Amino acid sequence: MTGEEVVWRGTPSWKALLLYYVKWTVIALLPAGLWVILNSTMSDPPSATIFFALTGLGLLLTYTIGWIKKSTTRYMITDRRIQIRTGLISRNDSSTQLDRVQNVNVSQSVFQRLLGIGNIDWDTAGTDAGDSDFTFYGIDDPGSLRQRVDQALNASH
């Protein structure tokens, strides 16, 4: 990528993983909640140690996996190309020339609109194959990014 100017670089917003964090935090808290119920209903409840250890492990796994998911997905746009790099142990690196971009689609669910995030899908010429998916998921202020890329495209023509 020598001689290319970086227009934008980023990762999915932490807000894109919000539902993941909420769901798995609740699930991780279930052993502690079960112990509270058992403790209040049984005259000789089981030891709290295993229940709270499972809760702690569940919380640790939830936040570690979420952090890995976010930090191992990297998006970059230069004045010549779009690149998506994912993976921790095995890596997937996809890029396409910026001048091949035909359409830029921004999509936001109701939940994403409330959080100010969205997905940007870059439709490129001649890429109908499934392995040519150039979608940036969970991007903060996707409309602003689309405008920056439009400006970069117009400046290069």
Side-chain angles (χ1 to χ4, degrees):
M1 296 205 186
T2 54
E4 294 183 42
E5 180 181 327
V6 175
V7 174
W8 183 86
R9 181 180 306 208
T11 62
S13 170
W14 67 269
K15 295 180 274 188
L17 291 170
L18 189 59
L19 286 178
Y20 163 85
Y21 284 127
V22 169
K23 176 178 89 172
W24 287 103
T25 297
V26 169
I27 290 170
L29 292 172
L30 288 177
L34 179 60
W35 182 83
V36 168
I37 292 169
L38 292 175
N39 189 46
S40 66
T41 59
M42 296 177 71
S43 60
D44 187 23
S47 171
T49 306
I50 189 71
F51 291 92
F52 285 97
L54 287 172
T55 295
L57 179 62
L59 291 171
L60 179 68
L61 284 173
T62 295
Y63 293 104
T64 301
I65 291 169
W67 176 80
I68 288 170
K69 286 173 95 171
K70 180 188 178 320
S71 63
T72 60
T73 301
R74 291 173 299 288
Y75 304 127
M76 184 170 59
I77 301 171
T78 69
D79 57 349
R80 295 184 196 163
R81 76 181 70 238
I82 296 171
Q83 180 182 36
I84 300 173
R85 183 175 284 173
T86 59
L88 177 65
I89 296 170
S90 64
R91 176 152 304 178
N92 184 21
D93 195 348
S94 302
S95 67
T96 189
Q97 297 296 322
L98 198 56
D99 59 4
R100 292 177 55 91
V101 172
Q102 293 182 330
N103 299 308
V104 181
N105 303 302
V106 175
S107 63
Q108 293 178 293
S109 67
V110 172
F111 185 70
Q112 286 176 319
R113 285 194 62 177
L114 290 171
L115 295 175
I117 61 174
N119 303 330
I120 303 176
D121 181 28
W122 312 92
D123 292 336
T124 57
T127 53
D128 292 334
D131 61 343
S132 60
D133 178 29
F134 290 98
T135 303
F136 290 10
Y137 293 98
I139 300 300
D140 277 317
D141 195 9
S144 172
L145 176 57
R146 180 180 55 196
Q147 288 175 342
R148 286 177 73 181
V149 173
D150 284 344
Q151 290 170 352
L153 280 170
N154 290 335
S156 68
H157 288 117

